[in-house]
Amino acid sequence: MALGCVLFPCIVHNPLMPALDNPSLTLPWRNRYAALGPDFLSPVSPTPLPAVHWVLQNTALAADMGLPAAFWEEPQVLAALGGSATLAGSTPLASVYSGHQFGVWAGQLGDGRALWLGEIDTPLGAQELQLKGAGKTPYSRMGDGRAVLRSSIREFLCSEAMHGLGIPTTRALALVGSPGKVIREELETAAIVTRVAPSFMRFGHFEHFAAKAQTPQLQTLADFFIEQQWPDLLSIDAGPERYTALLARVSERTAALLAQWQSVGFCHGVMNTDNMSMLGLTIDYGPFQFLDGFDPSHICNHSDHQGRYAYARQPQIAFWNLYCLGQALMPLINDQDLAVSALENFKTDYPHMMDERFAAKLGLAQVQATDHGLIQNLLQLLATEKTDFSIFWRRLSHAVAALSHTNSSQAFEPVRDLFIQASAWEAWLPTYLQRLEKQEAHTTAEAMLKTNPKFVLRNHLGEVAINQAKMGDFSGVQTLFNLLASPFEEHPGHDNFAAFPPDWASSISISCSS
Ligand code: AMP
Ligand code: MG
């Protein structure tokens, strides 16, 4: 079996608890996906985790979703998010998808451990809810359907960190833990993340029906997605033009996502086609990493021996994945040239968006012709010294702010201090200063401080909090959650969370095991 990650059998305590209905908590369910039928999904009840307890509650998201104030107090909510009760109106199901893993067709993959609870109307628009780790589904293959506390904390924190950074992502509403045991490389405890997104549809959902040559189902799925997410495309007749427009829009969204990932030094780690969202959201947080030192060839996934998903290769891989989606949609598009033209959006949009993102990081409101070279030269010099990526940009922002009350050599001293060989930096700086001169320095610095985060979820920060959590102390996880939710704020007293990584950080090894 071609698995992106090795799955191990597990032992989980599952005292069979009866499913409960909770008539007092009425949520505005609207489960459109469930109506698609058995080719697309299997109704599955969650398998209860024993003795569940709260680890994290995202009260801000709950409020934004208009969930009732009593939501977190209801014992049945904890039970439902721990898999031992069903919220009234929810129709749990597992959807089926396939995909390419590490560049190879892997057939049917999932969803082996995510249960779709349904869709609710919220002030944020209709949102789908999923439990990740709620037990086996018909698509679990050799897996146990569970997720461990360690990886669930990483998923929760990084979803919210991305949201805090303004990067499209699935969200995390809640995290429940349990003493129930799961076997991975070692015995670990299980957890369930409740995640939220307007749609959890992946490229792999479409690849599934294309691979089975089930064109009617492929079209049903495409039309379902269009109707649910991009109804403006319904004005195009159901034919090649409509599905070309769908592919073009996914290409644009994916380009925008990749430009954002690259601009914060985010490595996804497992960009298989089943981990690519049709909406261009960051999804399926596994061995991801925010770069410490800027190393374009950095590989964050211990299981990625070839470096397929190295930081600098991500845009290229995103295009490869879009190409797979284009192939999958070919029975509906029927014209190679149309499909290629839709994919071209990525090729034209991405470089432009990249320049826009990095220009914004430099405090340049508009991209000018010479800015591309300025950006590339800077990235080259950061790569040469593997300069700490987040600290560099934050210090640069503060340096530009300091220009309003001191001279440039003093203002930029903390930035220069980041380089062992400062000559390349000193050669680059004057061109930047000339470029900045045309702008209002104070406004520029303010914008930079809202673009270059002080806090990112560095591996070592997650590691420390996870080790604490494993001992039953969730305060570290909560602190990180608070900081990462507003990563551009200064958060006085928490500078150690924005400091250089300790030496041991480089020895952290994150694999797909989750
Ligand atoms: P990933 O490479 O983590 O995206 O995993 C690929 C697919 O394998 C997922 O979408 C799941 O359907 C399935 N999977 C991963 N871990 C498990 C597990 N512990 N139990 C069941 N299925 C799993
Ligand atoms: Mg996945």
Side-chain angles (χ1 to χ4, degrees):
M1 181 167 49
L3 281 172
C5 308
V6 182
L7 302 179
F8 293 85
C10 79
I11 308 161
V12 182
H13 285 294
N14 278 333
L16 286 174
M17 295 188 218
L20 302 169
D21 272 350
N22 175 15
S24 66
L25 192 83
T26 315
L27 300 178
W29 294 98
R30 176 155 84 104
N31 303 340
R32 289 176 285 183
Y33 191 87
L36 285 176
D39 286 339
F40 302 85
L41 56 96
S42 299
V44 191
S45 293
T47 312
L49 276 179
V52 286
H53 57 82
W54 292 114
V55 176
L56 286 167
Q57 300 174 332
N58 194 342
T59 51
L61 175 58
D64 289 349
M65 290 173 67
L67 296 178
F71 186 76
W72 302 107
E73 273 74 56
E74 286 279 350
Q76 283 171 340
V77 168
L78 174 60
L81 304 189
S84 59
T86 307
L87 294 169
S90 153
T91 53
L93 60 89
S95 79
V96 64
Y97 57 76
S98 299
H100 285 83
Q101 294 187 316
F102 289 87
V104 178
W105 177 245
Q108 185 184 303
L109 291 169
D111 207 318
R113 59 169 165 178
L115 281 195
W116 215 301
L117 294 185
E119 182 186 12
I120 55 175
D121 278 323
T122 82
L124 304 173
Q127 299 287 322
E128 296 176 351
L129 266 69
Q130 281 196 346
L131 297 183
K132 183 168 176 181
K136 286 190 186 180
T137 79
Y139 318 115
S140 294
R141 301 173 296 154
M142 285 166 64
D144 55 21
R146 292 301 189 199
V148 298
L149 178 66
R150 156 181 59 84
S151 68
S152 303
I153 289 173
R154 280 172 57 84
E155 167 139 5
F156 189 111
L157 289 179
C158 201
S159 306
E160 293 311 299
M162 292 302 245
H163 177 71
L165 291 167
I167 299 179
T169 178
T170 63
R171 302 287 306 273
L173 179 65
L175 172 52
V176 298
S178 158
K181 296 286 187 283
V182 180
I183 295 180
R184 295 291 183 263
E185 280 88 346
E186 55 185 22
L187 209 56
E188 299 190 49
T189 56
I192 297 178
V193 175
T194 305
R195 57 184 187 182
V196 175
S199 170
F200 284 99
M201 200 75 77
R202 304 151 186 264
F203 292 9
H205 281 103
F206 292 87
E207 290 179 281
H208 180 77
F209 295 104
K212 294 178 80 155
Q214 294 181 332
T215 305
Q217 287 89 334
L218 185 67
Q219 183 161 5
T220 300
L221 194 69
D223 285 337
F224 166 78
F225 181 75
I226 289 171
E227 202 175 321
Q228 191 198 34
Q229 298 302 325
W230 295 328
D232 58 304
L233 300 187
L234 291 174
S235 63
I236 310 172
D237 282 345
E241 271 80 25
R242 181 189 285 180
Y243 305 109
T244 303
L246 172 66
L247 182 60
R249 196 164 292 181
V250 181
S251 301
E252 287 157 21
R253 292 284 183 106
T254 306
L257 179 69
L258 267 288
Q260 299 211 51
W261 282 2
Q262 300 305 104
S263 74
V264 294
F266 177 75
C267 308
H268 182 281
V270 207
M271 288 177 66
N272 295 332
T273 56
D274 58 308
N275 290 337
M276 296 294 291
S277 141
M278 289 291 286
L279 282 181
L281 308 173
T282 314
I283 189 170
D284 278 12
Y285 292 88
F288 68 82
Q289 186 180 0
F290 285 86
L291 292 177
D292 290 320
F294 184 65
D295 175 5
S297 62
H298 185 72
I299 305 162
C300 66
N301 180 351
H302 189 66
S303 318
D304 179 9
H305 307 295
Q306 310 293 323
R308 178 178 174 84
Y309 299 137
Y311 168 81
R313 296 193 67 182
Q314 295 189 122
Q316 201 180 319
I317 293 293
F319 186 71
W320 192 91
N321 290 340
L322 283 165
Y323 192 89
C324 291
L325 178 65
Q327 286 279 15
L329 293 175
M330 272 315 284
L332 305 181
I333 296 178
N334 275 321
D335 178 333
Q336 186 114 0
D337 292 342
L338 277 181
V340 169
S341 71
L343 295 174
E344 282 299 316
N345 280 0
F346 183 92
K347 282 199 185 159
T348 47
D349 288 356
Y350 174 74
H352 181 63
M353 289 170 167
M354 255 310 259
D355 281 348
E356 272 180 354
R357 287 278 154 199
F358 276 91
K361 289 174 83 68
L362 287 168
L364 308 175
Q366 251 137 27
V367 185
Q368 293 181 0
T370 52
D371 292 342
H372 181 75
L374 186 75
I375 293 164
Q376 289 307 314
N377 289 344
L378 175 61
L379 292 179
Q380 183 56 53
L381 82 91
L382 294 181
T384 305
E385 291 213 10
K386 296 192 174 48
T387 311
D388 190 281
F389 192 66
S390 301
I391 291 179
F392 169 80
W393 290 105
R394 192 72 184 176
R395 284 199 191 178
L396 189 78
S397 313
H398 283 296
V400 172
L403 282 178
S404 64
H405 54 84
T406 187
N407 64 42
S408 67
S409 80
Q410 268 185 2
F412 284 91
E413 200 176 316
V415 184
R416 199 189 52 223
D417 286 350
L418 292 171
F419 299 96
I420 301 162
Q421 302 283 341
S423 53
W425 161 254
E426 276 159 4
W428 178 86
L429 183 59
T431 324
Y432 174 52
L433 287 174
Q434 277 165 21
R435 178 70 181 82
L436 268 186
E437 251 168 36
K438 294 177 199 138
Q439 307 201 98
E440 224 302 322
H442 186 62
T443 321
T444 305
E446 254 176 43
M448 288 173 79
L449 286 163
K450 288 182 186 142
T451 305
N452 297 311
K454 178 168 181 179
F455 300 97
V456 293
L457 180 53
R458 294 180 191 256
N459 260 353
H460 74 278
L461 298 174
E463 200 75 357
V464 170
I466 287 166
N467 287 335
Q468 257 179 300
K470 282 181 177 168
M471 312 289 284
D473 174 2
F474 304 120
S475 60
V477 177
Q478 186 67 51
T479 302
L480 268 184
F481 175 35
N482 298 344
L483 296 174
L484 296 168
S486 48
F488 303 108
E489 304 296 321
E490 283 299 325
H491 294 283
H494 291 89
D495 285 358
N496 50 332
F497 290 87
F500 290 102
D503 287 345
W504 59 265
S506 58
S507 64
I508 299 171
S509 156
I510 311 271
S511 71
C512 286
S513 160
S514 59

